[in-house]
Amino acid sequence: MLVFEIVIALLLGGAGLAALSRRVGTPYPALVALAGAVLALVPGSPELVLDPELALTLFVAPVLLDAAFDASPRDLRANWRPVASLALGAVVLTVIAVAVVVKAMVPEMPWAAAIALGAIVAPPDAAAATAVLKQLKPPHRLMVILEGESLFNDASALLIYRLALGAVAAGGVLGWSAVPTLLVVTVGSVLLGVVLSRVSLRINAGVEDVSTAVITQFGSTFAVWMLAERLHLSGILTTVVYAMTISRTASVVTPARIRIPSYAVWEVATFVLNVLAFVLVGFQLKGIVARFDRETWWEYTAIAAVVTGAAILARIAWVMGAAAVNRWRQRRSKSSPVTLSPGAAVLVGWCGMRGIVTLAAALALPTGHDGVAAFPYRDLILFTSFSVVLGTLVVQGMTLKPLMTRLKLDDDGEVDHEVRLARVETLRAGLEATQDSPGTEMATLVRRRYELQLRRARQLLDEHTLTSSGSPSASPWGPPTADAETVRAAMAAGRRKLAELRANGTIGDAAFQQVEQELDWSELDLQQLLRAESPG
């Protein structure tokens, strides 16, 4: 009962801090993580210890799937160079920089343990990145790069982490012998994600009840993660591939009456998990600090501060260097590759908040029980890892908004333009679908309705100023007022056209999902009208 009361109190407190963060313009993960650390150091506060496997599965799996489901393969392909550079190059440089720094400060630490610490703190967390950046709304391309990186950098870092743990257990160092393991894990995770997505689609296609559908979605997410881990593959990479694959056809097999409530449930659930995760990050410090004397406290604090600085600077150095090289190559070849401007590179380099993945990886280090030797310098690695999480969330998270304001990196309106274009095309397809309808008065009204909506959508497309058109009430579609079969045929044609626009790369997934939501609401309005007009 005590644990339940604590969880409820943390959730309510986190929700309050999230509301406060929106009023003051500060990302909420920074506030809730800082509050968790302060509460943990208050005398008499309970000690909460997270099981590492539970932390990864419970907190990371659904949040990661939600982010990957919304990712746009078209945009990722267009920006694959910066995404791959961050997910691989920035992670490797951070691992090396942190390992060298901590080895210099603690010469007795084995290289494998130092590399493990570097791998733990190297990847900016998917939960932290998406939770912070969605509130700040940078240019769409920067969102694509940062969210794309957050989908894959955890996989690369945790692969290095696993190899480092194996090297410590074997008393050796990392070498070329690890390459086959990396290849097997990567290829196996991708294949497993694709196979499981097909199985899940077949199961979900037969579900017609909303509550059952939502439970099936969450259960499938956890099952995918746990199966990948049981097979010694990458749960992160498998989940990302699974979500991105299933999102291609989910709009076809899932009806609007299930999609709308399930999206709402996922939004609330991921928010709750984010709040609990970031609050619990701070609470993990209590058990560690209790074992320190004054001298150890100052020594570990100094090491943690230097490692935090090294992790931040290594990412900035990689991003700025890679962007400068790309701009130099662009000038030399007089081509137009995808490059980052100096201001955009500064923002991407500064977006390095760590989160629950770092915490869970640190907690997963062997503790010395059940005949297994304790991991070398485990307390130091734990304390340093938690300090990096808190430091990056507070320092970088709280300064992101003023940095973006100073750099003048506002939303570029790309998604808004694609949304307007998609509305025009789907309405045009719907209008064409009504041409073969009988020449009744109702059919004439349907065509007239679509003509008026199409005219309005064209006007919005031609406007140069951005308007708030993301909510269903602001869309060109209104409640249907005519023959149900004619309207249903028109909406079906519109959905086919919308899917075609995404498939041929005319629009990205962000625009697709917004217009799909508007069509969903219009379809539900039609169903409500039919029920009201039915004789029973």
Side-chain angles (χ1 to χ4, degrees):
M1 189 65 183
L2 177 61
V3 174
F4 176 74
E5 293 173 351
I6 293 173
V7 170
I8 294 299
L10 292 179
L11 183 57
L12 291 176
L17 287 173
L20 176 63
S21 70
R22 286 189 290 271
R23 294 181 65 89
V24 301
T26 301
Y28 78 84
L31 287 183
V32 295
L34 186 60
V38 172
L39 289 174
L41 298 179
V42 173
S45 62
E47 180 177 347
L48 301 177
V49 179
L50 288 176
D51 179 85
E53 293 186 3
L54 175 62
L56 280 171
T57 305
L58 177 61
F59 293 125
V60 178
V63 174
L64 185 65
L65 182 134
D66 185 60
F69 188 90
D70 294 338
S72 173
R74 182 206 65 169
D75 294 336
L76 290 177
R77 285 194 298 268
N79 297 278
W80 72 270
R81 290 181 185 274
V83 170
S85 174
L86 290 170
L88 298 175
V91 166
V92 172
L93 180 61
T94 304
V95 171
I96 294 173
V98 169
V100 170
V101 165
V102 77
K103 181 68 175 178
M105 298 186 72
V106 187
E108 299 83 8
M109 177 180 287
W111 271 110
I115 292 173
L117 173 58
I120 289 171
V121 303
D125 189 38
T130 55
V132 172
L133 295 170
K134 284 183 178 179
Q135 299 179 57
L136 301 180
K137 297 182 179 179
H140 178 62
R141 180 166 175 260
L142 294 187
M143 280 291 292
V144 171
I145 293 173
L146 291 167
E147 291 185 340
E149 174 207 5
S150 71
L151 296 178
F152 299 105
N153 58 11
D154 293 332
S156 60
L158 290 182
L159 286 176
I160 299 174
Y161 167 81
R162 286 182 176 180
L163 295 175
L165 261 62
V168 169
V173 296
L174 299 178
W176 289 106
S177 59
V179 173
T181 301
L182 292 175
L183 292 176
V184 170
V185 170
T186 301
V187 175
S189 299
V190 171
L191 293 177
L192 181 62
V194 173
V195 171
L196 292 179
S197 68
R198 298 183 183 278
V199 175
S200 180
L201 283 171
R202 287 183 175 273
I203 295 175
N204 291 326
V207 178
E208 298 181 355
D209 177 66
V210 174
S211 58
T212 303
V214 173
I215 293 174
T216 302
Q217 292 167 9
F218 276 95
S220 300
T221 301
F222 294 127
V224 168
W225 181 283
M226 291 185 291
L227 180 59
E229 292 296 320
R230 289 292 180 90
L231 296 176
H232 302 288
L233 299 175
S234 170
I236 290 176
L237 188 56
T238 303
T239 302
V240 168
V241 173
Y242 168 82
M244 294 185 70
T245 304
I246 208 171
S247 68
R248 298 299 91 192
T249 53
S251 60
V252 178
V253 301
T254 306
R257 60 183 180 79
I258 290 180
R259 181 163 45 244
I260 289 179
S262 66
Y263 280 6
V265 171
W266 272 91
E267 183 176 358
V268 173
T270 53
F271 173 78
V272 168
L273 292 174
N274 271 319
V275 168
L276 288 178
F278 288 117
V279 170
L280 292 174
V281 165
F283 263 89
Q284 303 311 300
L285 289 173
K286 187 176 183 65
I288 300 173
V289 173
R291 296 194 291 268
F292 291 175
D293 54 31
R294 187 179 182 86
E295 182 179 351
T296 303
W297 168 265
W298 287 111
E299 178 187 358
Y300 280 17
T301 300
I303 295 172
V306 173
V307 169
T308 302
I312 294 174
L313 292 176
R315 176 181 175 85
I316 294 175
W318 178 270
V319 174
M320 298 295 293
V325 170
N326 286 336
R327 289 194 297 271
W328 175 79
R329 291 176 57 189
Q330 180 182 10
R331 290 192 299 269
R332 293 268 298 184
S333 62
K334 297 182 180 180
S335 60
S336 55
V338 178
T339 59
L340 290 176
S341 66
V346 170
L347 178 64
V348 172
W350 195 244
C351 289
M353 293 75 68
R354 274 64 173 182
I356 194 63
V357 170
T358 293
L359 170 67
L363 289 172
L365 295 172
T367 60
H369 297 298
D370 299 327
V372 179
F375 197 85
Y377 293 89
R378 186 177 188 273
D379 277 355
L380 172 60
I381 294 176
L382 286 172
F383 181 81
T384 303
S385 301
F386 300 151
S387 300
V388 171
V389 171
L390 292 175
T392 55
L393 279 175
V394 173
V395 174
Q396 294 180 303
M398 289 187 171
T399 56
L400 266 181
K401 186 172 183 177
L403 178 63
M404 286 182 59
T405 302
R406 185 174 182 83
L407 295 174
K408 298 181 179 179
L409 295 172
D410 300 321
D411 190 353
D412 52 15
E414 179 182 343
V415 174
D416 183 82
H417 174 75
E418 291 184 354
V419 166
R420 297 180 184 191
L421 175 62
R423 285 171 176 166
V424 170
E425 295 299 324
T426 53
L427 283 169
R428 182 183 291 118
L431 181 59
E432 291 174 355
T434 65
Q435 301 304 318
D436 296 331
S437 300
T440 63
E441 182 179 358
M442 286 295 184
T444 302
L445 289 174
V446 171
R447 286 192 289 271
R448 179 59 177 164
R449 170 178 176 265
Y450 267 80
E451 288 170 354
L452 293 174
Q453 292 173 343
L454 180 57
R455 184 183 305 169
R456 181 187 176 192
R458 282 172 171 163
Q459 291 173 350
L460 290 174
L461 180 61
D462 292 337
E463 289 179 357
H464 295 289
T465 57
L466 296 179
T467 59
S468 177
S469 56
S471 62
S473 59
S475 71
W477 288 275
T481 58
D483 180 72
E485 290 300 326
T486 303
V487 175
R488 186 177 291 112
M491 292 184 64
R495 288 186 184 276
R496 288 193 296 271
K497 186 63 178 180
L498 182 63
E500 179 185 332
L501 291 173
R502 181 176 69 167
N504 62 27
T506 302
I507 63 173
D509 280 56
F512 173 88
Q513 290 158 10
Q514 185 169 329
V515 177
E516 180 187 52
Q517 184 184 49
E518 294 171 356
L519 287 171
D520 288 344
W521 282 106
S522 185
E523 180 179 322
L524 292 184
D525 286 335
L526 171 62
Q527 294 174 356
Q528 182 67 29
L529 180 64
L530 291 176
R531 284 194 294 269
E533 293 182 348
S534 62

